[in-house]
Amino acid sequence: MLNIVLFGPPGAGKGTQSERLKEKYGLVHISTGDVFRGLDPNSELAKLAKSYSDKGELVPDEITIKILESEVQKFPEAKGVIYDGFPRTEAQAEALDVFLTGKNTSVTMMLSLVVPEQELKTRLIERAKTSRRQDDADPEIVQNRINTYNKQTAPVAGFYEKQNKLLEINGVGSIDEITQRLYDAIENSLATN
Ligand code: AMP
């Protein structure tokens, strides 16, 4: 199985690029943010998740890990998965390792999109016009999401670096240019490992 963790701060382009990688390599795309937003809005789980995401904070690990695992189980025939927005904490990364080991597979690589903070803010405010996401539109929430990323999520890259699975990709440029960099990184990595 090809299991790709597509990593990066909010606004780095994970969702857009995941769709491209999904098409090219025939993968399943799982975005925990999309899963949370897709829950029945009247359910207790949706309300709980929203109480965190509205503030730009992370949904607790225990809930997020369960959601992710049940999402993966929906695709028993998958050739591989792109994990978009997961794992976002070290506990999630550890849980993913255990979960995939139980399925006789593992994370193949982490592709980390690197984008400067000012560019992220500009992109998110621009995206708010079409995403209609309150967490994109409000500069305070955007800042909080970036702070949460720096504090809780950025260290997850180190987790994969220790396993020699981290590949950093310049996330500035046209969408096509960045897609090409991702394709190149994937092919290089598959050819050498
Ligand atoms: P995203 O669409 O990836 O920007 O996620 C939107 C929001 O969903 C985040 O700000 C978090 O509140 C929540 N969320 C998504 N993925 C995770 C995760 N792996 N762990 C915790 N919270 C998450």
Side-chain angles (χ1 to χ4, degrees):
M1 261 181 105
L2 180 59
N3 294 302
I4 297 180
V5 173
L6 191 56
F7 191 71
K14 300 187 294 294
T16 306
Q17 297 297 342
S18 289
E19 284 303 307
R20 303 257 179 122
L21 299 182
K22 167 186 163 169
E23 291 304 318
K24 169 107 173 158
Y25 297 101
L27 307 173
V28 171
H29 171 203
I30 298 180
S31 150
T32 38
D34 285 347
V35 174
F36 286 132
R37 282 184 292 276
L39 295 170
D40 170 358
N42 297 315
S43 67
E44 287 312 309
L45 187 57
K47 288 182 198 161
L48 185 69
K50 200 169 178 305
S51 71
Y52 292 95
S53 59
D54 276 355
K55 292 185 277 187
E57 292 171 8
L58 295 183
V59 178
D61 284 333
E62 202 192 334
I63 298 167
T64 307
I65 291 164
K66 268 196 206 139
I67 284 269
L68 182 277
E69 292 184 355
S70 71
E71 199 60 28
V72 175
Q73 304 288 27
K74 288 183 189 166
F75 303 97
E77 306 297 327
K79 275 170 53 184
V81 176
I82 305 176
Y83 297 88
D84 161 8
F86 185 97
R88 260 171 151 108
T89 63
E90 297 213 37
Q92 291 179 17
E94 278 160 19
L96 182 61
D97 268 7
V98 172
F99 176 66
L100 292 180
T101 302
K103 294 168 71 69
N104 283 322
T105 183
S106 60
V107 169
T108 315
M109 66 187 83
M110 169 189 264
L111 299 167
S112 172
L113 291 167
V114 181
V115 179
E117 187 165 319
Q118 193 49 50
E119 166 100 6
L120 298 173
K121 290 180 190 165
T122 313
R123 287 187 191 178
L124 288 171
I125 300 297
E126 186 58 31
R127 183 171 82 180
K129 293 178 191 163
T130 49
S131 74
R132 303 178 66 194
R133 280 175 57 176
Q134 186 54 30
D135 62 345
D136 287 344
D138 182 328
E140 238 178 79
I141 301 175
V142 164
Q143 187 62 57
N144 207 19
R145 289 166 69 198
I146 293 174
N147 294 347
T148 300
Y149 174 83
N150 289 335
K151 201 165 152 210
Q152 291 175 266
T153 304
V156 176
F159 180 90
Y160 291 101
E161 193 175 21
K162 277 188 219 139
Q163 299 183 10
N164 281 322
K165 291 180 177 174
L166 170 66
L167 295 168
E168 290 195 333
I169 310 293
N170 176 5
V172 181
S174 72
I175 293 176
D176 284 346
E177 279 166 352
I178 297 162
T179 304
Q180 192 57 51
R181 288 176 203 147
L182 290 166
Y183 290 167
D184 291 347
I186 292 170
E187 319 247 312
N188 270 330
S189 170
L190 294 179
T192 51
N193 285 305

